[in-house]
Amino acid sequence: MDVAGLVTANPVWVGSSELTMTPAGLAACVDAGAGAVVAKSVNESDAARRQLDIADYAFISGDREVRPAGEARREDGLLNRSGLAQVDLDDWLEVLAAAAGHGATRGCPVLGSITLGDPAAAARIAHAMAAAVPAVELNIGAPHGREARAVRQLTEVDAVREAVRIVRSSVDIPLLVKLPGQASDVVALARAARSAGADGIGLVGRYPGFLPDLDGGAVLGSWGAWGSPACLPMSLYWVGKTRQALGADVPLVGTNGARTAADVLRFLAAGARAVEVVTALWIDGPGVVAELVAGVEAYLATREGGLDAFVGSALAGTRDYADIPPRPSPAWLPYLGSSGQ
């Protein structure tokens, strides 16, 4: 399959995280059978690297309790504080080149990743990465951009277009742009990124999060970034809307909410060509990739036309509110119980 010029074995990708920050972690994700692996993000800022020293992670159960370390479940949410890879660029390029070479032997592209700080600096880093990896992901949707001064979250059309234009001008390899989920119009941001030269669009970054612990203070002792299976419909909203607006020719990569093969399939049905998974691997290890790939392939084998026909298939029967005929009886009536009598 082809995604934004990348030939990948399957649509289950491993997203950028601490799991893809070391040679061993990158190799483990490749060897697990991922369609592609996105390395941990870097940028030009020493402050962004130092932020990793205050990283913290809390897995939150359905009743909003923090799970003890080692007891997280696939259905839990993740609230975290994080930073970027603590490595000099030259050293990181060597890691990326080795990982990309390893991935190439297994049909698994390894992408470099840049979390935006200064666009001109991102362009210089992307240019350097182009000699080591087959593609670059530019993350302009990092939720930590609302809290950390070392990274930026872009939510305005003009800012997105200009940042992508600057980075695009520095590389001749595929450029994927990852957008935030919290913006007034994510579709407009996607259109701006595409018009400025993005080969593919990632939808969407995690959301800002905050959880008081009721005993004083808050979980993590700070604001954080939030992702969970409950975010899936929110992520799919923007995937589906962007697919409708930009068309089937614009490759979309889904992220934020996929923990199971069924979740991956829902992203595909909404219009994504590939899906980045992170938290499921944190909980169950890189081996979960094989489970997801097997589940996706088994389901698609039952569908006429396979993957190509399935991508975006959920949109065919999806209508705007104004096009939905009245229901024969009020849909809300059964939910009122005795109060409706």
Side-chain angles (χ1 to χ4, degrees), residues 39 42 71 81 106 118-119 144 148 200 230 236 243 255 287 311 318 329:
V42 298
E71 296 184 15
R81 206 172 44 237
R106 291 158 173 77
D118 173 67
H144 302 295
L236 297 180
R243 165 84 174 202
T255 181
V311 170
T318 302
S329 61

Side-chain angles (χ1 to χ4, degrees), residues 15-339:
S16 173
S17 79
E18 285 77 344
L19 189 63
T20 60
M21 192 166 61
T22 65
L26 288 163
C29 293
V30 169
D31 293 344
V37 175
V38 185
K40 179 66 172 172
S41 288
V42 298
N43 74 8
E44 75 284 358
S45 171
D46 289 335
R49 292 188 284 274
R50 288 195 300 271
Q51 190 177 310
L52 194 64
D53 293 331
I54 62 166
D56 202 359
Y57 315 88
F59 287 95
I60 312 297
S61 70
D63 56 3
R64 269 65 69 192
E65 296 295 329
V66 178
R67 299 271 192 203
E71 296 184 15
R73 302 176 186 175
R74 197 89 67 89
E75 64 268 21
D76 291 345
L78 173 62
L79 183 68
N80 86 314
R81 206 172 44 237
S82 187
L84 304 187
Q86 293 181 329
V87 60
D88 291 334
L89 181 59
D90 288 345
D91 293 338
W92 188 234
L93 293 176
E94 291 183 7
V95 171
L96 290 179
H102 181 67
T105 66
R106 291 158 173 77
C108 174
V110 174
L111 285 65
S113 178
I114 303 166
T115 293
L116 186 70
D118 173 67
R124 292 192 294 271
I125 295 170
H127 181 76
M129 283 184 174
V133 295
V136 171
E137 179 183 86
L138 176 65
N139 185 359
I140 60 176
H144 302 295
R146 292 177 176 267
E147 310 304 328
R149 299 173 184 174
V151 298
R152 295 175 63 192
Q153 183 188 74
L154 303 184
T155 58
E156 300 299 329
V157 166
D158 290 344
V160 169
R161 183 182 294 110
E162 181 64 5
V164 175
R165 183 194 65 79
I166 291 170
V167 176
R168 171 78 277 173
S169 68
S170 71
V171 297
D172 57 6
I173 60 175
L175 175 66
L176 283 74
V177 177
K178 187 175 181 180
L179 299 175
Q182 190 175 57
S184 60
D185 190 346
V186 175
V187 173
L189 302 186
R191 186 178 286 111
R194 179 67 172 176
S195 70
D199 296 290
I201 307 295
L203 299 159
V204 290
R206 289 183 297 146
Y207 298 91
F210 181 69
L211 187 65
D213 63 16
L214 303 187
D215 292 323
V219 174
L220 303 183
S222 74
W223 320 97
W226 174 251
S228 82
C231 292
L232 185 66
M234 301 160 69
S235 302
L236 297 180
Y237 177 90
W238 289 120
V239 171
K241 286 288 188 178
T242 303
R243 165 84 174 202
Q244 281 189 327
L246 272 62
D249 292 338
V250 178
L252 306 181
V253 178
T255 181
N256 190 1
R259 302 284 180 86
T260 67
D263 293 339
V264 172
L265 288 163
R266 289 186 175 97
F267 264 112
L268 300 178
R273 291 283 301 173
V275 183
E276 292 182 9
V277 181
V278 173
T279 309
L281 279 70
W282 281 36
I283 295 170
D284 292 327
V288 76
V289 170
E291 170 201 321
L292 301 183
V293 171
V296 169
E297 291 181 344
Y299 179 82
L300 292 177
T302 70
R303 300 278 302 200
E304 184 177 353
L307 175 63
D308 288 338
F310 186 69
V311 170
S313 58
L315 303 179
T318 302
R319 294 173 288 183
D320 292 334
Y321 285 9
D323 298 327
I324 299 173
R327 296 175 59 90
S329 61
W332 43 262
L333 193 59
Y335 297 95
L336 293 184
S338 59
S339 63

